[in-house]
Amino acid sequence: MSAYAGGMERWSRVSFEDRMATVDFRVGTRAHITVDGDTCRGCTTKACVTACPANLFVPTSDGGIVFNYEQCFECGTCYLVCSNEGAITWTYPDGGDGVVFHRS
Amino acid sequence: MPEATTPTVAPSRPSLATAGRPRDAVVDAPATPDFDLVVVGAGPAGAAAALVAARAGLRVCLLERGPFPGAKNMYGGVIYARILDDLIPNWWDEAPVQRWVTRRATVVLTESQALTIDFRSSAWGEPPYNGATAFRPDFDAWLAGKAEAAGATVVTSTTATGLLRDGAGHICGVRTDRPDGDLTARLVVACDGVNSFLAKQAGLYHHEDPKHFTLGAKEVLALPRDEVEKRFVLSGREGADFEIIGGTRGIPGGGFIYTNLDSIAIGVVLGLDGLRKAKVRPEELIADLKRHPMIAPLVDGAQLQEYSAHLIPEAGLEMMPELSTDGMLVAGDAAAMCLAAGIWLEGVNFAIGSGIAAGETAVEAVRRGDVSDHGLAGYRRRLESNFVLRDHTKLRRAPSLVMSERVQQRYPQLTCDLVEALFTVTNPEPKQGAFRAARHHAKRSGVRLRDLARDGWTALRTYG
């Protein structure tokens, strides 16, 4: 929750789904990022889960991680905050695929 | 494009802990390569390099993985474009600018307080201007269009997946994801952005540390033009740029707000190490900013138009890679040339400045027929003689000072408490006096005078 109490809040709260719906993603057929489930199951920090601005890393009930590449900003935060070398395999999407900004 | 059927070999140096791990492909370098110059990435660095080289008559290919130049790019808001004065005279008449920044505010934020240094200048609203806000997809496409008009071949929707090397190990082109997609060139300029897999593959980065990067996350909020002007006290094409320190729940970084024509942009910049430890989601920190009593009235009712995020190479000289190797130069964010120095937050100008230097060096090296690392030495010389490396060298201590816990948290709190104490009238108590108040609040904030003196000295040496 907010660190600030009682401020004005007349701007509408958007759901995360609606937030991501404002972004133009041209989804390719190839997953440009993959995660290694076995390594992730042994990871205690799972920093990717909160740090990813697109919220693409979802913890599973068995302690692993499910990753959805489709709404990726291609920023690189996940592999840089990851504490386990090799857990995240990161490439750029194929040419023309992926995020397309218009007003950023 | 010639077909490459040769086997791949491991990179000449061990890969960093990043991941894509592209492999060098060894090819027979043709006597006449496809191009003199392949520039990877059509952002401001790549477009500037391609423009300079194409104008000088080189055969240039400008490669872009997005469907158009600028498609992958976002930033935290202001372009200082005087570096274009010689290259594109009167650039301000045609550049796709949203607003000219005539109001520059630096805001020190705590949970309930804000201290703002608010500067305005009408000179900044007239040619040659100072800062501009712009949508990067518009601006970058415009600049790349200049390169194309000068004769560069712009190839979009094409990702460079690795480097080509000749038998001697010299870089001689790039492999792309197009069928038969090897592009050979006398020289490659890697302007492939903050993650620069090409610079890493070439072995130019020796280590990689999340502490050197920040994440920028931004919301563009739609607001009618007259409402933007009313809230930020602007008229015509005047624009505002607020840079914020504090307000990120102790995560090293800051925030920003700036105006477009009929929208405003608000965002946060977050040190990756702090973000990793804090376990807070980036958009929650934007929400914090939007709720702050000083900021809430500015964004009230404005609807989200586009959410975006991007990494920033934050550590300046400390993280900069080697800038050249046999057959390749690195420019822009790919060479960590973004300037994050607290009171100065610049990047597009450093990208253009390094791109111009790379283009000039390419022309010189190709004409001389020496694209070896030695033959490319003019690149560093050029950067050292203009603002790009001179500013970075002068401000080399700034990133760690600005990101320190004291500058991020203790000093903002101390400063705001002190100003609040000075201007709070507590009659019948008499006034305390500034010096006593300063001592009292310094003690309360846990700031030691020794640290304050040392940081002050560092700041003087850095900014003076």
Side-chain angles (χ1 to χ4, degrees):
Chain A
M1 275 311 291
S2 165
Y4 307 116
M8 293 173 66
E9 199 170 343
R10 270 192 44 217
W11 45 273
S12 56
R13 256 201 173 283
V14 291
S15 69
F16 202 84
E17 202 176 21
D18 289 344
R19 166 182 301 278
M20 296 308 289
T22 65
V23 192
D24 179 4
F25 291 103
R26 304 187 182 174
V27 180
T29 50
R30 181 180 69 89
H32 63 285
I33 298 174
T34 56
V35 299
D36 173 4
D38 289 338
T39 310
C40 299
R41 258 187 294 280
C43 174
T44 51
T45 51
K46 292 188 172 60
C48 55
V49 173
T50 46
C52 170
N55 202 10
L56 298 177
F57 294 82
V58 181
T60 58
S61 54
D62 67 344
I65 293 278
V66 180
F67 175 75
N68 166 17
Y69 73 94
E70 294 181 359
Q71 293 192 317
C72 174
F73 287 124
E74 302 153 35
C75 69
T77 298
C78 56
Y79 79 79
L80 282 167
V81 299
C82 180
S83 46
N84 295 287
E85 188 170 347
I88 298 174
T89 304
W90 209 99
T91 60
Y92 282 128
D94 296 341
D97 291 345
V99 69
V100 176
F101 293 128
H102 296 281
R103 302 176 158 270
S104 60
Chain B
M1 294 180 205
E3 195 180 343
T5 52
T6 37
T8 58
V9 296
S12 54
R13 289 174 210 233
S15 317
L16 295 158
T18 64
R21 295 206 181 86
R23 296 288 177 100
D24 295 4
V26 176
V27 297
D28 296 323
T32 308
D34 300 319
F35 291 95
D36 293 322
L37 185 65
V38 169
V39 181
V40 181
L51 173 56
V52 168
R55 274 196 190 161
L58 259 53
R59 295 176 304 127
V60 179
C61 177
L62 179 57
L63 208 58
E64 168 58 44
R65 66 188 184 88
F68 55 86
K72 303 287 182 183
N73 298 348
M74 70 80 87
Y75 71 152
V78 181
I79 297 173
Y80 301 92
R82 293 295 306 278
I83 182 66
L84 289 175
D85 283 3
D86 291 337
L87 207 57
I88 307 169
N90 298 335
W91 54 267
W92 49 80
D93 287 334
E94 48 172 306
V97 162
Q98 290 284 315
R99 288 180 182 272
W100 301 104
V101 175
T102 55
R103 183 179 178 199
R104 168 66 150 86
T106 302
V107 186
V108 178
L109 214 62
T110 72
E111 283 197 17
S112 59
Q113 302 151 306
L115 172 68
T116 306
I117 298 168
D118 190 350
F119 180 74
R120 306 188 64 121
S121 169
S122 25
W124 289 353
E126 295 162 10
Y129 302 100
N130 182 41
T133 62
F135 296 146
R136 288 290 300 282
D138 295 351
F139 185 86
D140 293 6
W142 167 75
L143 197 56
K146 291 284 171 191
E148 190 164 34
T153 304
V154 179
V155 178
T156 57
S157 296
T158 305
T159 303
T161 55
L163 296 168
L164 304 180
R165 289 185 192 264
D166 65 18
H170 291 202
I171 292 166
C172 62
V174 294
R175 178 158 286 184
T176 75
D177 62 352
R178 295 269 188 120
D180 300 326
D182 283 2
L183 278 170
T184 54
R186 296 187 200 283
L187 183 64
V188 172
V189 181
C191 304
D192 51 337
V194 57
N195 285 297
S196 190
F197 292 114
L198 295 187
K200 288 173 193 168
Q201 190 190 347
L204 300 180
Y205 277 96
H206 298 300
H207 66 295
E208 186 170 70
D209 186 343
K211 286 192 188 71
H212 292 164
F213 296 87
T214 52
L215 169 67
K218 178 172 93 171
E219 294 182 359
V220 174
L221 306 168
L223 208 58
R225 185 175 171 168
D226 60 339
E227 195 60 28
V228 171
E229 286 159 12
K230 206 160 69 187
R231 292 186 189 190
F232 289 85
V233 200
L234 307 166
S235 63
R237 297 297 291 272
E238 290 178 342
D241 166 34
F242 292 13
E243 302 292 346
I244 301 162
I245 190 157
T248 50
R249 300 195 205 176
I251 299 173
F256 57 84
I257 308 172
Y258 62 85
T259 56
N260 296 316
L261 209 50
D262 55 5
S263 62
I264 52 181
I266 181 165
V268 290
V269 172
L270 307 164
L272 283 195
D273 206 41
L275 180 64
R276 170 165 70 180
K277 288 172 186 151
K279 300 250 169 197
V280 185
R281 296 207 40 79
E283 76 278 3
E284 288 177 37
L285 295 165
I286 303 179
D288 275 5
L289 270 192
K290 290 166 75 176
R291 261 191 297 264
H292 191 280
M294 179 236 160
I295 294 164
L298 297 174
V299 299
D300 183 29
Q303 294 298 312
L304 181 62
Q305 222 169 23
E306 188 173 76
Y307 175 51
S308 57
H310 210 282
L311 283 185
I312 304 165
E314 187 87 9
L317 211 60
E318 191 187 330
M319 71 183 293
M320 239 177 240
E322 292 171 45
L323 300 178
S324 63
T325 183
D326 296 323
M328 190 169 100
L329 296 170
V330 194
D333 273 8
M337 279 170 183
C338 205
L339 183 77
I343 58 170
W344 292 302
L345 299 159
E346 304 168 22
V348 174
N349 52 333
F350 280 79
I352 297 172
S354 57
I356 292 172
E360 290 171 352
T361 308
V363 172
E364 184 183 85
V366 167
R367 281 185 185 156
R368 272 208 318 248
D370 181 4
V371 293
S372 70
D373 194 20
H374 182 259
L376 298 170
Y379 181 47
R380 177 170 279 277
R381 265 202 309 278
R382 284 181 170 85
L383 298 177
E384 281 171 348
S385 68
N386 73 9
F387 69 100
V388 176
L389 282 183
R390 284 170 77 158
D391 284 359
H392 268 293
T393 304
K394 180 173 168 50
L395 294 165
R396 63 193 178 279
R397 295 183 195 89
S400 57
L401 177 68
V402 170
M403 295 299 256
S404 74
E405 191 256 352
R406 288 192 295 277
V407 174
Q408 286 285 323
Q409 288 178 269
R410 291 185 194 261
Y411 297 160
Q413 191 67 57
L414 169 62
T415 311
C416 285
D417 286 350
L418 182 58
V419 173
E420 184 160 329
L422 282 177
F423 293 123
T424 303
V425 179
T426 53
N427 297 155
E429 289 288 317
K431 298 209 186 307
Q432 198 179 20
F435 189 66
R436 260 189 69 191
R439 281 188 57 157
H440 171 75
H441 285 285
K443 200 171 170 189
R444 219 182 63 164
S445 68
V447 171
R448 290 184 303 182
L449 285 175
R450 200 189 327 153
D451 291 332
L452 188 61
R454 191 168 46 213
D455 290 341
W457 176 238
T458 305
L460 264 178
R461 281 203 299 168
T462 301
Y463 297 110

